[in-house]
Each structure stands twice: as C-alpha cells, then as structure tokens.
Amino acid sequence: MNDINSFLSRLNSTINFSTILPEIILIVGLITIVITDLVNKGKNAIFLYKIFLISTLVSMGILFYQLISVIAFEDLYTNNIFNNLFRFFILICSFISVLLSVDYVLCSKISLAEFPLFKISAGLGGMILSCATNLITIYVSLEFLALSSCFLSGYTKRDIRSNEASMKFLLMSGASSSSLLYGFSLLYGFSDGQVQLDNIIDKISFSQYLPIICISAAFILAGTAFKLSLFPFHQWTPDVYEGSPTRVVAFFSVTSKVAALSLFTRLFRLIFPYLSNEWHIVVELLAISSMILGNLIAVTQRSFKRMLAYSSISQIGYVMIGILAADLENGYASMLTYTFIYIFMNLGTFARITPFSLRTGTNNIRDYAGLYMKDPVLTFSLVLCLLSLGGIPPLSGFFGKHYLFWHGWKAGLYISVTVALVTSVISIYYYLKIIKLMLTKTTNLVDTLKTYEKQKSLVSSVISTKLKSSVEMAMILCALASTLSGLFMDPIIKITRNTFF
Amino acid sequence: MNLSELIHEFILALIEPGILVGSIGTVSFINTANSAFSLGLVFTCISLLYFALNADFIAAAQLLVYVGAINVLIVFAVMITDQSVSSDSEKRGIGYFTALGACSILFLTIVCIFHKINDFYSSSIHQSEYLKLNLFEQNDVQNIGYQLLNKFLVPFELASLLLLVALVGAINPARDEDEGKDIAENKKNRLFLQLHLVISPHFSK
C-alpha cells in the first residue's frame, strides 16, 4: 500500500494530466459506450451516439481552453499550437462524421454498437498521433488509427466490396507501417538508444551517418506517404473508398489524412533538417505526380466515390506544397488553413452523397442527372461544396488555394505551383461536369431518379425527424463553413501563423 | 578472440542458420502445415538469439507470445481449413525477376552498410565504452516495468485500448447474427472465439 501511495504521488508530480484531458474524456466516452451497450443488450443505439457527441463536444471545449496555454507534458507530448490545432481538426472531423452516421442506426439491420466505438478509437488515435513526440507513441497511435479505420471499412460484412476494401487496407497498411518501423529502428539504433525525437537529433551525428539517415528518411517517407496516399503509394485509395460504406469513407478520408499530415510534418521537420534539400525535392516530385495523376484519372471516373478518392489524392498534393513552403514568418499557416477548409469541403460532399445513396442505392455519377428537380436543397449544397473543392472565387476553397499557391510561389516552388494551377483547372472540369448534370433538366429521367420520390417518402417515415435533421444539420454546417470560411480567412491565418518549430 | 567471444560466436553460428532455414521453409513449402511449423522454428530461434544477446525478458516474451500464442493460432487456423494441395509452381514471369532484382539490391546495400558499421564499431574505443555500461548486472524486468509506467505510460495504456478495439473488431465480422440459428450454438461459438482471442493478447500484455 505504501508503494502505491508513493507511486501515485510521484506520478502526479511528474505527469500533468490536464494536458491529455481531451483524450481522457474520449477514452471515458469509449468505455461508457461499451458498457452501455452491454447493459442495454443492443437496444437504444441512439443513446450511444449521444454519448459520442457529448464526449467529443466536451473534449473540444477543453481543447479550446488549452489552446490558450502551451504546456509541455513530460517527454511524451508537447502542446504547442501546431499540435493543438491538429487535435482540434480531428475532433471536428469526428463530430461531423458522427452527425452523418446517426441515421445508420435505423436504416440497416446490422448491429451498430461497435460503429461509434471504432469511430471514437480512430479519433483518439488521430489525436494522440498529432501530439506524439516519441517514436513509440507515434507507432502505437498510428496503428490504433489504422486498425480502427480498417475495422470501420469492413463494417458492412455482407457486402463483398466492403470485405475487399478492408482486406486491401489491412494488408497495405501493415506493409507500410512495417517500412515506417524499419526507418524508426535505424534512427533508434544510430542515436544510441534514444526514442524521443528531440534527443535523437541531439545524439545522432549527421556528418558521420549520412547514408543511414538517407535510408531511414526513405523508409519513413514510404510509410507516411501511404497514409497520405501520395503518388506511388496511392493504389489502395480508390478501391478502399469505393468499397467501404459512405459514412466511413467520409470519416477516414479526413481523419487519417489530417493525422498523417501532422505526423509527416513533424517527423520531417524535426529529424531531417539537414537533409531538407534532398527531401524537399523528393516530396515535390511526389506532390506533382499525385496532383497530375489524381486529377487526370478523376476525369474518367464513373462512380462518385472513386472520383472523390482521386480528387482527395490531388488535394493532398496541393497540401504538400504548403508543407514545403513553410518558413519562419508564416509557419505552416497555408497548410493548416487549407486543411481546415478541406475538412469541411470533403465532409460536406460526403454528407450529400450519403442520403442520395441511401435513397437510390447507387453511386454512379450519371444517376445524379436532373437532381435539381427532385431535391433542390441537396443539389445546391452539393453545388457549393463541389465548387469550393474546385476553387471557384467567392467560396473558401478559392481563398485556401490562393493562399497556398501564393505562399508556395513566394518560397520558390515555381514548378509545383504551375502544375497545381493547371491541375486545378482540370479539376474544375470534372466538378462542373457533375454540377451540369445535376442542374440540367432531362426529358427522360434516369430510372433511379424516377423512384427517388417514392423512396424518399418511405425512408422518411422510418427515420424520425430528429435523425433526418442531424444529417441535414451536418450538411448545412459544412455548406456554411465551405462558403463563409473564405471571409474569415484573416483570423484563421493569424492563428495558424506561429506554428513553425 | 578469447574463449567467451568464441563461444558466443559459436552459439550465434548455430542459431542463425536455424532462422535462415526456417524462413526459407516458411515461404517455399507447398504444404501449409509444414510452412506453419517452420515459422515456429524461426520464432524459437529468434528467442534463442535474444537469450544469447542477454535480453532475458524479451526472450521469454517472444517464446510466450510468438511461439506459444501466435504460432499456435496459425497452426490451428491452417489445420482447421480444409485445403487441397496447391499446384506446382507456375511459370516465372517478369514480375518475379524484377522483384528478385530489387530484393537482391536491397540485401547487398544492407550487407555493405553493416560491414562498414561493423568495422567502425569493432575498434577498441567502443568496446571499452560498452563494457563500462555494465549491462550484466541490471535487473531487466524491474527496469522495464519502471520505464513502462513512467516514461512510456501513454503508449502503454494506448496499447491496452488497442487490444480492446482489436478484440471487438475481430469478433465483429466473425459473429453470427442470424435470428433463426440455435442460440446455444451461437453462444458456444462466440465464447470459444472470445476465449481464444482473450488468451493470446493477455500474454502479449
């Protein structure tokens, strides 16, 4: 008993628990969900979603409070603004994607208690990944995120495409995280057994071990570029996005990319500053090829989800320019602003596809023809989000891209910015193609839309008004954020400015 | 080299061919059960390697987790699936040779690097530094426990949550939700699967 007392007092003195309080609240929410589901024996699943929402909101509140102060948590975390902003982004992603998936409860026959469990655990993994400064914490939280995303993507187990998607995701993420681990092991070995990122830079002597550092950088790049779906490592993205359920794709298309962005930036900024010329060139090449490839292949797609997968590959290419263009006075402002806007744009687009695929059961772009007549709200909000993704002026996507490219031009990345501008124009083509399809009245409607009206009434008698409005609330929230964030760019840029480390 | 170094080299020379033979056997046996058993040989030899390198806790954990739980599960899964003997090797296309070339280049690179580092480290300065560290009298297990709960608290607790989520996620696609099936049989299946999945991560924790 004496030992426990002394241990607890030592624990309290060395570890300041208030810094990980948002994560602790998410963990409490996770355990509550498990216990509630056990007690309720599967009934009343909406209550579980309410628990999820409440815990996410409370975490966000505490994170807001902590954004003001910068505390260092022993060796494991540092809560500078960069990390806190990423945690906040991931909480926003979780919150909005839970709003999207509430209607899943009544509309499908499979058990649903595990769905919020996996979502909370993926959000938790992403949050801890955003602040980890320890090789071991990075690896464990990355695996946590990847494993939860994999279970989420295989959730509809009767659907064979979902099985295929989760198999592909599991195998490829396993291969990539093993290459990441190999890079980490090289760093661990040659820095005399240090696991902390700061200590690694202190102890490792760059001049002596330069080839080892280069090899380690290559392996770490391979491991993180998989999660970001950059060019040669993007092959899993279209199949996984097409196969998984739409709400799941909405969730992990933003969450895992945001978490992987923070990991990538932190690793390459902290560990390889002496190699910055080399890895800048490589990342620039990867970014250019992902932009070109993503946009060109997205033109030819016939399924909406696959097209969004390729377009998200190209969006990450744009964000890479932001990472490369970071300098002392602006920090990572361009990357963070664009990520913030990208979250809302992407989630907004998925928020529109979800009810559409629920009501008509199809994801083909051709079936969206003439949607304007059947459901104007959905059409206009989808139009806003797609235009924002493309980068058309009054919407926030334009301001995000403009700031990103201007920052990149100022930093001297002329080729990348030119390629990005050209490929943005190409992307406008395929977004506008969908918009034109939706807005034009066709004389003979597609079969799917003829049954749209009937199904809508059937579905709305099943879903209570409260649930239907949660998806619409998410839609409206994302539409507003996509439109109006452009007007509030200045405060956002000011917040994200001093994030250089 | 004095006698202790000679013995050390001899033991390593015994263990390493075991690992090599086992891993080649794992990938090239046609019968999957033979392949699973040679994987067990690889894990056992790795555990002996840890013993030879004076890491007793890791060696015991490796034996318990890898050989005792994971390999047993693999053999169990292999034996329970009813599989026909796979056909003989197909024609080796261009992909085979490309992969062979890439793997051999990688292997040669790693061998060259390790030779360079080995020359560097076998100079006498580093030998004396390592002897000064006096690794032989520390209590490994206590040290590991102390570090786990102080320095590495967050990854440790996160790993336990990861195990919980992995358990739930593994049972989730595997369980049966047909209402018409016999409830007792359902419960028995679920319990069996859960028991098996509970025991193996328990040892790894």
Side-chain angles (χ1 to χ4, degrees):
Chain A
M1 202 55 200
N2 222 1
D3 282 331
I4 299 179
N5 275 339
S6 64
F7 165 70
L8 276 177
S9 62
R10 226 178 328 140
L11 201 66
N12 275 334
S13 61
T14 53
I15 301 180
N16 192 5
F17 275 118
S18 65
T19 53
I20 53 169
L21 204 51
E23 281 91 356
I24 291 184
I25 291 181
L26 279 184
I27 293 178
V28 167
L30 192 151
I31 298 180
T32 320
I33 285 179
V34 175
I35 296 181
T36 321
D37 181 55
L38 275 177
V39 165
N40 278 344
K41 291 195 200 23
K43 302 184 285 254
N44 200 10
I46 307 175
F47 187 54
L48 302 173
Y49 283 96
K50 289 188 186 154
I51 298 177
F52 189 162
L53 284 175
I54 292 173
S55 57
T56 324
L57 282 174
V58 172
S59 286
M60 260 201 268
I62 295 190
L63 197 58
F64 257 135
Y65 180 68
Q66 276 184 6
L67 269 176
I68 315 170
S69 56
V70 175
I71 317 171
F73 177 88
E74 257 254 323
D75 295 329
L76 299 173
Y77 277 15
T78 0
N79 275 5
N80 49 10
I81 302 185
F82 186 77
N83 300 339
N84 276 342
L85 277 173
F86 271 106
R87 286 157 95 191
F88 184 59
F89 288 166
I90 292 181
L91 279 174
I92 295 177
C93 300
S94 306
F95 181 66
I96 298 181
S97 68
V98 160
L99 286 179
L100 282 183
S101 49
V102 172
D103 63 341
Y104 211 25
V105 174
L106 293 179
C107 292
S108 60
K109 296 279 181 283
I110 51 183
S111 88
L112 296 144
E114 284 79 22
F115 201 72
L117 177 75
F118 293 138
K119 279 203 168 164
I120 269 197
S121 56
L124 186 65
M127 277 182 75
I128 297 194
L129 185 59
S130 313
C131 327
T133 54
N134 194 1
L135 286 181
I136 296 182
T137 317
I138 289 177
Y139 187 68
V140 173
S141 52
L142 189 67
E143 283 303 302
F144 203 17
L145 177 66
L147 204 63
S148 319
S149 307
C150 168
F151 290 142
L152 275 175
S153 78
Y155 203 77
T156 48
K157 56 191 179 188
R158 308 275 182 204
D159 187 3
I160 203 170
R161 293 176 308 168
S162 176
N163 293 343
E164 178 200 350
S166 81
M167 266 322 278
K168 278 190 181 164
F169 194 26
L170 182 69
L171 290 174
M172 290 196 164
S173 92
S176 77
S177 71
S178 68
S179 104
L180 184 73
L181 200 59
Y182 187 70
F184 281 171
S185 72
L186 282 176
L187 284 178
Y188 170 74
F190 284 97
S191 67
D192 222 6
Q194 296 303 319
V195 197
Q196 277 296 111
L197 288 182
D198 311 321
N199 295 346
I200 288 180
I201 325 166
D202 288 335
K203 288 251 183 150
I204 207 167
S205 61
F206 282 94
S207 53
Q208 207 171 32
Y209 294 128
L210 195 61
I212 297 285
I213 309 281
C214 285
I215 292 182
S216 155
F219 275 102
I220 293 181
L221 183 65
T224 44
F226 167 80
K227 297 272 339 164
L228 285 171
S229 57
L230 283 179
F231 166 59
F233 310 101
H234 69 284
Q235 291 291 355
W236 61 279
T237 317
D239 299 321
V240 170
Y241 278 30
E242 192 182 9
S244 323
T246 319
R247 300 148 191 87
V248 167
V249 183
F251 177 67
F252 71 61
S253 76
V254 279
T255 309
S256 65
K257 290 215 160 58
V258 166
L261 269 175
S262 86
L263 173 69
F264 185 86
T265 319
R266 204 169 336 113
L267 279 178
F268 277 87
R269 176 76 203 119
L270 281 182
I271 302 187
F272 306 115
Y274 294 100
L275 281 184
S276 22
N277 287 338
E278 279 87 354
W279 68 259
H280 269 216
I281 297 177
V282 176
V283 172
E284 208 175 321
L285 269 173
L286 289 185
I288 292 176
S289 11
S290 353
M291 288 190 276
I292 296 177
L293 183 111
N295 283 313
L296 282 181
I297 299 191
V299 172
T300 68
Q301 291 306 313
R302 270 184 237 119
S303 157
F304 209 123
K305 283 203 282 190
R306 267 186 106 88
M307 186 213 83
L308 278 181
Y310 281 112
S311 94
S312 78
I313 294 177
S314 57
Q315 301 280 340
I316 291 294
Y318 302 144
V319 176
M320 284 291 125
I321 299 182
I323 293 185
L324 294 172
D327 55 6
L328 200 55
E329 48 174 81
N330 274 332
Y332 287 100
S334 52
M335 174 190 90
L336 283 166
T337 328
Y338 194 72
T339 312
F340 181 65
I341 297 175
Y342 168 71
I343 293 176
F344 286 112
M345 295 190 296
N346 219 10
L347 279 176
T349 318
F350 277 108
R352 275 74 163 167
I353 304 179
T354 312
F356 184 81
S357 70
L358 192 65
R359 289 168 194 165
T360 59
T362 173
N363 267 318
N364 280 330
I365 294 183
R366 233 170 265 166
D367 296 330
Y368 279 76
L371 189 58
Y372 163 66
M373 289 188 304
K374 297 284 183 180
D375 196 354
V377 174
L378 193 96
T379 314
F380 278 123
S381 41
L382 188 53
V383 163
L384 279 178
C385 274
L386 283 177
L387 286 180
S388 186
L389 273 173
I392 306 290
L395 303 171
S396 54
F398 168 72
F399 290 108
K401 275 190 181 157
H402 171 75
Y403 189 54
L404 198 66
F405 297 157
W406 175 67
H407 212 196
W409 192 269
K410 223 171 48 153
L413 303 163
Y414 303 121
I415 307 177
S416 316
V417 175
T418 322
V419 170
L421 283 169
V422 169
T423 49
S424 279
V425 174
I426 299 178
S427 74
I428 293 178
Y429 163 68
Y430 57 79
Y431 291 130
L432 282 179
K433 190 173 71 164
I434 303 177
I435 297 175
K436 179 190 97 126
L437 204 60
M438 282 194 300
L439 289 181
T440 53
K441 288 187 194 178
T442 53
T443 46
N444 37 346
L445 289 174
V446 194
D447 279 330
T448 48
L449 275 185
K450 280 187 195 147
T451 57
Y452 189 84
E453 202 65 64
K454 286 186 243 157
Q455 280 208 341
K456 191 171 163 190
S457 59
L458 176 69
V459 159
S460 60
S461 67
V462 172
I463 307 179
S464 68
T465 48
K466 203 197 311 183
L467 291 174
K468 193 163 79 138
S469 69
S470 82
V471 181
E472 287 183 1
M473 192 164 65
M475 280 203 301
I476 295 173
L477 178 69
C478 289
L480 282 176
S482 304
T483 334
L484 298 177
S485 306
L487 303 175
F488 297 122
M489 273 288 279
D490 253 353
I492 298 178
I493 294 180
K494 209 183 299 182
I495 295 177
T496 57
R497 211 165 243 222
N498 40 344
T499 52
F500 197 65
F501 48 84
Chain B
M1 286 204 261
N2 50 5
L3 186 62
S4 64
E5 277 188 27
L6 207 60
I7 295 181
H8 195 231
E9 293 286 336
F10 178 66
I11 293 178
L12 284 182
L14 277 183
I15 296 176
E16 282 154 13
I19 299 180
L20 197 62
V21 165
S23 45
I24 292 179
T26 312
V27 296
S28 53
F29 271 130
I30 297 181
N31 191 0
T32 326
N34 287 345
S35 178
F37 282 121
S38 46
L39 188 65
L41 176 68
V42 173
F43 288 149
T44 317
C45 288
I46 291 181
S47 157
L48 291 176
L49 191 67
Y50 287 145
F51 272 123
L53 292 173
N54 204 30
D56 45 355
F57 180 73
I58 304 284
Q62 169 94 4
L63 268 179
L64 279 175
V65 173
Y66 274 95
V67 183
I70 293 180
N71 204 33
V72 165
L73 263 178
I74 289 176
V75 171
F76 172 74
V78 163
M79 299 248 180
I80 212 173
T81 51
D82 188 28
Q83 46 162 358
S84 53
V85 182
S86 49
S87 61
D88 49 355
S89 64
E90 310 86 16
K91 261 178 79 81
R92 292 184 172 156
I94 187 75
Y96 179 80
F97 290 111
T98 320
L100 188 67
C103 286
S104 45
I105 289 177
L106 194 64
F107 178 67
L108 286 173
T109 317
I110 294 180
V111 163
C112 287
I113 291 175
F114 278 141
H115 267 287
K116 259 178 93 171
I117 300 298
N118 208 13
D119 294 336
F120 177 71
Y121 268 119
S122 53
S123 63
S124 53
I125 310 171
H126 283 265
Q127 296 278 24
S128 57
E129 268 183 25
Y130 278 134
L131 286 177
K132 267 190 229 156
L133 286 177
N134 203 8
L135 296 165
F136 298 99
E137 288 176 10
Q138 280 178 358
N139 194 347
D140 253 348
V141 184
Q142 200 177 24
N143 218 3
I144 289 180
Y146 183 75
Q147 295 287 341
L148 270 182
L149 281 181
N150 267 334
K151 218 168 123 191
F152 297 110
L153 179 66
V154 172
F156 182 64
E157 299 300 330
L158 199 60
S160 68
L161 272 176
L162 177 64
L163 283 170
L164 170 71
V165 173
L167 255 175
V168 176
I171 296 180
N172 191 31
R175 83 177 144 178
D176 218 0
E177 267 145 22
D178 253 340
E179 240 88 290
K181 247 203 169 163
D182 194 19
I183 299 184
E185 189 185 307
N186 250 357
K187 276 205 180 134
K188 193 166 53 128
N189 281 340
R190 223 177 298 177
L191 216 64
F192 180 63
L193 200 62
Q194 269 175 344
L195 206 62
H196 219 96
L197 285 166
V198 159
I199 291 180
S200 41
H202 185 68
F203 281 121
S204 69
K205 196 162 174 209

